[in-house]
Amino acid sequence: MDSNSFRPADRDQLAQQTRELTDRRAQLLAGSYRLFYREPVHLVRGQGQYLYDADGRQYLDLYNNVASLGHCHPAVVQAVTEQMQQLNTHTRYLHERILDYTDDLLSTFPAEKDWRAVYMCTGSEANDLALRVAQAHTSGEGVIATAEAYHGTSALTSAVSPALGSGQPIAPTVRLVPAPDTYRTGIADIGTWFANQVQSAIDDLRAHNVRLSALILDPLFSSDGVLPGTPGFLAPVVDVVRRNGGLIIADEVQPGFGRTGERFWGFARHGFVPDLVTLGKPMGNGMPVSGLVGQADVMASFSDRLPYFNTFGGNPVSMAAAQAVLDTIRADNLQEHSLHVGELTRQALRDVAARHEVLGDVRGVGLYTGVELIEDADGRVPDAGLALDVVENLRRQGVLTSTAGPDGNVLKLRPPLAFSSGNVDWLAGALDASVHEAVTNRRARAGS
Amino acid sequence: MDSNSFRPADRDQLAQQTRELTDRRAQLLAGSYRLFYREPVHLVRGQGQYLYDADGRQYLDLYNNVASLGHCHPAVVQAVTEQMQQLNTHTRYLHERILDYTDDLLSTFPAEKDWRAVYMCTGSEANDLALRVAQAHTSGEGVIATAEAYHGTSALTSAVSPALGSGQPIAPTVRLVPAPDTYRTGIADIGTWFANQVQSAIDDLRAHNVRLSALILDPLFSSDGVLPGTPGFLAPVVDVVRRNGGLIIADEVQPGFGRTGERFWGFARHGFVPDLVTLGKPMGNGMPVSGLVGQADVMASFSDRLPYFNTFGGNPVSMAAAQAVLDTIRADNLQEHSLHVGELTRQALRDVAARHEVLGDVRGVGLYTGVELIEDADGRVPDAGLALDVVENLRRQGVLTSTAGPDGNVLKLRPPLAFSSGNVDWLAGALDASVHEAVTNRRARAGS
């Protein structure tokens, strides 16, 4: 379909259609549903790193780590279709798929520990169970998370997810610590600084007679503004937590499955071994599949006393999707691809940043990049309004993405791993034009 | 594949394979995973109401309301495959599927109220959100559930799920009431009796300064032992809860989507309109799809203040599966089928019960039947050991099912809706033989 084949009348029809769909959402869906963009995008098709709207327009997807291999990846479609035709049932019966997949999955984990897996359907469910396992193992309730963390949408996980906004209450047994942000704080030894923050939080829990259970963290600090930091910088905080009897929960929903390029898991970049690891979004390339992998003795503290059964978790169809994802990451060398194309991406974006003083920082690892929008080069003052304008302009340039961070001023660039070196120019050009337009419009508004 | 074509050597191989798979589960999966049956079933294929093991043996599935239309139903396979090839993404963009499905779903709800839907992946997630919505709307925290209820596996929902066993703590803001069991209590006006139980629980919450939020109930009381009762008997309890400012959450994961035959929803059998309705297991015929439907003002109390976003919830593939389920229920008249075949089933099982005094009660509605195993006809004393023996014997007769109820003595018969009148004889004959064998073996053991 060629977008040029549409006449103006068709475009009016499309705008009308968008309004109708938006109105129907308001009539049918709960108010929790929020659309991206001032003018919502109406998608009809996806392939690889591309999405297509009802107007036949192609977008470059810079937002989606769920369609991690790429939208509608044929290996996943085929695996799911074949297994759906064969059998889809729960784990109270024996089936090879869950075992073969777990064998394969655990081969990516540090070999020096004995691991056990359990499967569910969403990252929220994985983190909900991880927190309960940590509490069972430590007999503690205290949880430490970062100040703009997101770990899920269940009652328990939303209460450790300040990224949900000021309306979301944080549990009284939770302490929030500032994320390890070198750019914002200007602190060179951010690892020691972060460990000290966590020690203070542990001290505060103790002062309130709350026993420490776990530090839960995304090793990429995605919601906190994409803060990959230097490999290994999390070693001091891990020591602090363990000295105080706490566990480490690595939330790998963002960095996992090869995205960082350097290692298969975000925690592995930092050379530590978590007690519990939660898996989600990219795991099934869009199939609702998630998992919790934990050290055997930690998992046993829960399963020896408390039951857990997830009806859909670990079913053969979910496992077929997850297996196709693992197989394709290896067959197509997507981890190496992520490392390589990620570096090219940041080189190109840094060239763009050199031309715009409002682009204060370009950082990332593999195919996860954050771009900091600031008021000017000296102050490093976050500019959320500008970031939103840039996101809207990028949409008009055919690039879909969003923002992150406590100030909402960091562009979050997290494409399907199908994003290729050939796409870098489009992204860089679009960012250049989008920032230029946003700054020009702002100057015009200021002058008028 | 014909099971007669296997020689003894093959059977030894199969037994060896079963042992290997069981051992691998212990090595790879968390201890929470439990298998059905003393000798686990190793399934490889499913179709309609049938499952097939690695030995080529056919089983009649009397357990599975997830594969509600039938295992591997072609309409669902086709809908999922086609949508997976087209687009699978989140709800921050416009898409017709979620709206068309919601339109269709809400047309099955009482027309006098204004409803809004939100989608997630599991029944646990639906109930977790329902409880949070009820708490937001009432500013209360108190929840009432039945004494053997199961509502989910998240932190919040497991704390209102006594069916998880004595290891599972019940939240201090939860009160449990005995389920409305006419057979066990011998009380004729069970509706008034149940309402009085709930009133006492509300009084106790009040005495502890806990404000009532909601009564959550499965209108079939499946986990409590399959207690459909007379249509309308829940009216008094609904009055009591509303007079005390509480909401009613109908957990339709078991009775929903036409299973009761009489009405499309379990609550509709009783002629009341819940404030919140949760949907799960049968909704996507095996795809992890769930939903919460609530009255618009109740939902707004939550969404005006608190965020909710479920990455996989309501994606086009999940909605395609759910749409195929709704379409097939209608096209194949599965609700009427459920009513008709359910009646035939209970007639046949009552004939069997007439020959065995240990079969104390056969009750149910549509394709959901409970059969009570008791020590003798007079005492009505529950016999869980006998029920387990019967379940094991049924497995050897090729019939898969399980037990429910506070005493674990109720056979829970909940087949795919594909279960047909032609299957009734198999079930009835298998139950007859299984009970006969269990009773005979018991007498032999008692005599030896």
Side-chain angles (χ1 to χ4, degrees), chain A residues 137-200:
Chain A
H137 188 70
T138 58
S139 303
E141 278 206 283
V143 175
I144 297 170
T146 51
E148 195 67 15
Y150 175 72
H151 297 295
T153 199
S154 70
L156 181 60
T157 57
S158 62
V160 297
S161 294
L164 287 169
S166 57
Q168 174 60 53
I170 298 303
T173 50
V174 172
R175 293 295 177 276
L176 303 178
V177 294
D181 186 338
T182 311
Y183 176 74
R184 189 68 59 213
T185 62
I187 292 165
D189 184 5
I190 199 76
T192 301
W193 178 87
F194 186 54
N196 290 338
Q197 301 291 328
V198 169
Q199 182 64 64
S200 298

Side-chain angles (χ1 to χ4, degrees), chain A residues 312, chain B residues 119-122 279-281 283-284 287-291 318-319 321-322:
Chain A
F312 300 128
Chain B
Y119 300 101
M120 49 291 286
C121 301
T122 67
L279 318 173
K281 286 187 171 68
M283 189 172 178
M287 275 293 287
V289 190
S290 71
S318 295
M319 293 290 96

Side-chain angles (χ1 to χ4, degrees), chain A residues 41 46 86 94 122 125 128 155, chain B residues 33 41 46 86 94 122 125 128 155:
Chain A
V41 178
Q86 195 75 17
L94 292 171
T122 69
E125 289 194 318
D128 195 287
Chain B
Y33 283 92
V41 178
Q86 196 74 18
L94 292 170
T122 67
E125 289 194 318
D128 195 287

Side-chain angles (χ1 to χ4, degrees), chain B residues 119-260:
Chain B
Y119 300 101
M120 49 291 286
C121 301
T122 67
S124 298
E125 289 194 318
N127 282 325
D128 195 287
L129 184 59
L131 292 167
R132 294 174 70 204
V133 170
Q135 290 171 347
H137 188 70
T138 58
S139 302
E141 279 205 281
V143 175
I144 298 170
T146 50
E148 196 66 15
Y150 174 72
H151 297 295
T153 198
S154 69
L156 181 61
T157 56
S158 62
V160 297
S161 293
L164 288 169
S166 57
Q168 174 60 53
I170 298 303
T173 50
V174 172
R175 293 295 177 278
L176 302 179
V177 294
D181 186 338
T182 311
Y183 176 74
R184 188 69 56 213
T185 62
I187 293 166
D189 183 5
I190 200 76
T192 302
W193 177 86
F194 187 55
N196 289 339
Q197 300 291 326
V198 169
Q199 182 64 63
S200 297
I202 295 171
D203 294 344
D204 188 54
L205 283 173
R206 194 171 285 133
H208 290 81
N209 290 313
V210 179
R211 187 175 187 151
L212 178 63
S213 158
L215 167 69
I216 182 168
L217 53 76
D218 162 2
L220 260 183
F221 301 93
S222 318
S223 292
D224 285 288
V226 190
L227 310 168
T230 318
F233 91 87
L234 290 176
V237 78
V238 170
D239 283 349
V240 160
V241 172
R242 295 226 160 109
R243 272 207 310 275
N244 286 276
L247 302 184
I248 311 280
I249 303 172
D251 180 341
E252 291 282 341
V253 169
Q254 303 281 344
F257 293 97
R259 175 156 297 269
T260 68

